[in-house]
Amino acid sequence: MSASRSLPSSIDATLSLLQSQGYVADRALATVLFLALRMKRPLLLEGEAGTGKTEIAKVLSAALGRRLIRLQCYEGLDLASAVYEWNYAGQMMAIRLAEAGGVAGDRERLESDLFSERYLVKRPLLQALEPQEGGAPILLIDELDRTDEAFEAFLLEVLADAQVTIPELGTIKAAEPPIVILTSNRTREIHDALKRRCLYHWVGYPDAARELAILKAKAPGAPAKLAKQVVSFVQAIRKEELFKAPGVAETLDWASALVELDAVALDPAIVSDTLGALLKYQDDIQAMQGSKVGELLDQAKQAARG
Ligand SMILES: Nc1ncnc2c1ncn2[C@@H]1O[C@H](COP(=O)(O)OP(=O)(O)OP(=O)(O)O)[C@@H](O)[C@H]1O
Ligand SMILES: [Mg+2]
């Protein structure tokens, strides 16, 4: 066995496991994650963009020393991309070679050879059912809301039994089911049937204290005063009417941008010039420019002092 580590034995242990990888979770998230690991249930994380849903799976993989297998969902995702497909070109080549070698007569053998593991291309869901060094892998099914309902129904089957059936080969069942993390940005609702199988957690924006801790962990180069002001400003701007409020990802980007510019504190000019690191829609940027920046900045500075 390699660097595999055992699962956390308490909520506090889960918190520090995540912390050891620079992930600052609140107690509610640590609790549901601890339970998901304990109860061997998939964990469905829904929430705003850039709030650390995908990161959880990555951090868990690193912290537990388990392989991370990622299925990125998108519209039109099919079984050939998610589970397996046959290496058609390879099969054709084998047939040609068999013909050339004059062994095509041994039809049965050729056929069973063509539909053996040798020509099976394993995609993430199938890979996740196979034994991995270090123990059951982390299976990240990312942005599930982007697939269609037919795929979701299929997924439900795979998750329920931790197995898939390949007609030409038979049923492949995981000896130890993978640790499954599903994420969704809620562009559509995930079906109740799938939700019922999972533990659920809504990943919201962090409060100021936690966002500051995240900033310290992820952007340690930012001066303390600047970090505090950045967090206060972001917390304030999230309360505004915006088309797209900044996530933690944007906070980190903005802090890095400010550090690049050698800023030690926020002022109206530098905020205006760097707003594009925080807001990604021109309408939002326009609405926040000018006197609004000054207003938010005053609020932020006051909060940062407090
Ligand atoms: N609690 C946290 N602790 C440490 N880093 C965090 C935390 N939350 C978010 N981040 C950082 O924010 C960035 C975005 O996180 P992530 O990609 O996981 O967001 P997401 O919720 O999956 O977003 P999306 O819905 O857009 O996919 C990452 O760089 C991650 O490290
Ligand atoms: Mg994500």
Side-chain angles (χ1 to χ4, degrees), residues 50 53-55 70 142-143 183 185:
K53 302 183 295 297
T54 301
E55 184 79 0
R70 179 175 187 164
D142 213 11
E143 309 190 347
T183 81
N185 282 72

Side-chain angles (χ1 to χ4, degrees), residues 203-217:
V203 186
Y205 296 121
D207 62 16
R210 190 157 68 89
E211 194 153 26
L212 191 60
I214 296 171
L215 201 55
K216 277 189 183 148

Side-chain angles (χ1 to χ4, degrees), residues 116-128:
S116 66
E117 281 215 47
R118 189 167 167 200
Y119 297 102
L120 186 68
V121 184
K122 296 168 186 168
R123 301 296 186 201
L125 285 184
L126 186 54
Q127 289 171 17

Side-chain angles (χ1 to χ4, degrees), residues 21-244:
Q21 300 293 324
Y23 193 97
V24 189
D26 59 9
R27 206 166 175 85
L29 175 58
T31 303
V32 77
L33 180 61
F34 168 67
L35 289 174
L37 294 172
R38 263 293 158 109
M39 298 162 70
K40 303 200 183 308
R41 295 276 289 276
L43 176 58
L44 171 60
L45 299 173
E46 270 189 336
E48 309 289 350
T51 49
K53 302 183 295 297
T54 301
E55 184 79 0
I56 272 278
K58 295 184 186 167
V59 157
L60 208 54
S61 153
L64 296 176
R66 313 261 185 139
R67 182 170 167 206
L68 176 67
I69 298 175
R70 179 175 187 164
L71 177 66
Q72 178 62 51
C73 298
Y74 52 86
E75 212 184 314
L77 173 64
D78 59 2
L79 301 189
S81 311
V83 193
Y84 74 93
E85 64 185 322
W86 292 105
N87 175 359
Y88 183 70
Q91 288 171 324
M92 288 310 290
M93 179 70 90
I95 293 172
R96 290 276 161 78
L97 287 175
E99 279 171 357
V103 291
D106 194 353
R107 266 217 168 127
E108 244 164 60
R109 218 188 104 205
L110 181 60
E111 202 178 313
S112 73
D113 189 41
L114 287 178
F115 292 104
S116 66
E117 281 215 47
R118 189 167 167 200
Y119 297 102
L120 186 68
V121 184
K122 296 168 186 168
R123 301 296 186 201
L125 285 184
L126 186 54
Q127 289 171 17
L129 299 179
E130 297 191 309
Q132 305 286 342
E133 211 182 317
I138 314 289
L139 172 61
L140 168 63
I141 302 175
D142 213 11
E143 309 190 347
L144 178 65
D145 50 330
R146 296 208 198 169
T147 59
D148 52 33
E149 297 183 359
F151 186 82
E152 214 184 288
F154 168 78
L155 200 57
L156 190 62
E157 258 180 67
V158 176
L159 293 185
D161 307 329
Q163 66 176 42
V164 294
T165 298
I166 301 174
E168 299 89 344
L169 269 185
T171 297
I172 296 176
K173 187 170 171 64
E176 194 190 345
I179 296 168
V180 183
I181 309 273
L182 303 113
T183 81
S184 162
N185 282 72
R186 215 180 180 192
T187 56
R188 70 170 174 83
E189 280 298 328
I190 304 302
H191 255 239
D192 284 348
L194 187 70
K195 281 189 176 168
R196 209 174 303 128
R197 284 217 62 79
C198 303
L199 297 184
Y200 176 88
H201 184 73
W202 175 265
V203 186
Y205 296 121
D207 62 16
R210 190 157 68 89
E211 194 153 26
L212 191 60
I214 296 171
L215 201 55
K216 277 189 183 148
K218 286 295 173 70
K225 183 175 169 194
L226 180 71
K228 255 188 152 178
Q229 290 182 352
V230 161
V231 166
S232 302
F233 188 92
V234 173
Q235 296 272 330
I237 209 170
R238 282 196 191 119
K239 296 199 180 90
E240 297 293 319
E241 234 2 93
L242 291 173
F243 181 69
K244 171 76 190 66

